[in-house]
Amino acid sequence: MNFAFKENQLNYETYYTLRKSVEWNNWSREQAEIALGNSYYTVTVFDNTVAIGMGRVVGDGIYFMIMDIVVKPEYQRMGIGSTIIHMLLEHIEKNMCVGSRVSVQLISEPDKEQFYIKQGFKLIPHEYCGPALRKVIYKKG
């Protein structure tokens, strides 16, 4: 199969559809469009004209967070996710300042940790980092 990997072309409709394909909750359109607009870099994967995968990075030049790595279930285990991760990391590295270092983090879906370990990520906690923490904030309308 010949897939097309497109940079910085992720739009709301594609984002919504791909998240839905893996049964993830979606954000409001307004919230998602703001988030997509604030992405540092995105990759969208197409099989002809059908979007089949995506990934994005947010960051400030020191810390980066990989978000929304999705490959439609029928396209998984074909190397698409690995290519997305590689492209995201390559973009970060290419744009780093000489002599600098950055920290790239992500939150894995349960039972997907081994996929990310194969991509060079380390489980935390480890000797240099404590456990990851998260807080979700809701605003009622």
Side-chain angles (χ1 to χ4, degrees):
M1 295 191 168
N2 192 15
F3 304 118
F5 291 79
K6 298 188 178 182
E7 301 172 292
N8 297 320
Q9 295 186 22
L10 183 57
N11 62 38
Y12 172 75
E13 289 77 17
T14 300
Y15 181 78
Y16 180 93
T17 301
L18 288 171
R19 286 182 62 91
K20 190 173 180 180
S21 78
V22 292
E23 299 179 359
W24 286 0
N25 292 331
N26 267 300
W27 310 101
S28 73
R29 182 181 192 107
E30 178 183 16
Q31 192 176 17
E33 286 179 343
I34 290 168
L36 293 172
N38 286 322
S39 296
Y40 177 75
Y41 178 69
T42 68
V43 173
T44 312
V45 187
F46 293 88
D47 183 0
N48 293 312
T49 60
V50 177
I52 60 165
M54 68 175 174
R56 67 188 189 100
V57 173
V58 296
D60 63 6
I62 296 173
Y63 294 98
F64 293 92
M65 185 83 178
I66 291 181
M67 317 291 294
D68 301 313
I69 300 298
V70 173
V71 176
K72 282 187 167 184
E74 61 269 30
Y75 289 90
Q76 292 177 5
R77 303 204 180 280
M78 299 175 140
I80 297 166
S82 297
T83 301
I84 292 170
I85 292 289
H86 174 77
M87 289 178 72
L88 298 175
L89 294 172
E90 187 176 72
H91 184 80
I92 291 168
E93 186 174 354
K94 180 178 74 175
N95 290 286
M96 289 173 60
C97 301
V98 173
S100 66
R101 67 183 176 95
V102 301
S103 178
V104 182
Q105 295 131 28
L106 58 82
I107 297 173
S108 173
E109 283 291 301
D111 301 321
K112 300 290 186 181
E113 298 90 347
Q114 289 305 313
F115 168 76
Y116 294 106
I117 289 170
K118 288 178 186 173
Q119 310 305 317
F121 288 85
K122 292 182 179 180
L123 286 175
I124 52 176
H126 58 68
E127 66 274 19
Y128 301 110
C129 296
L133 303 165
R134 157 179 129 141
K135 180 177 180 151
V136 177
I137 300 173
Y138 295 92
K139 181 177 182 179
K140 299 188 192 263

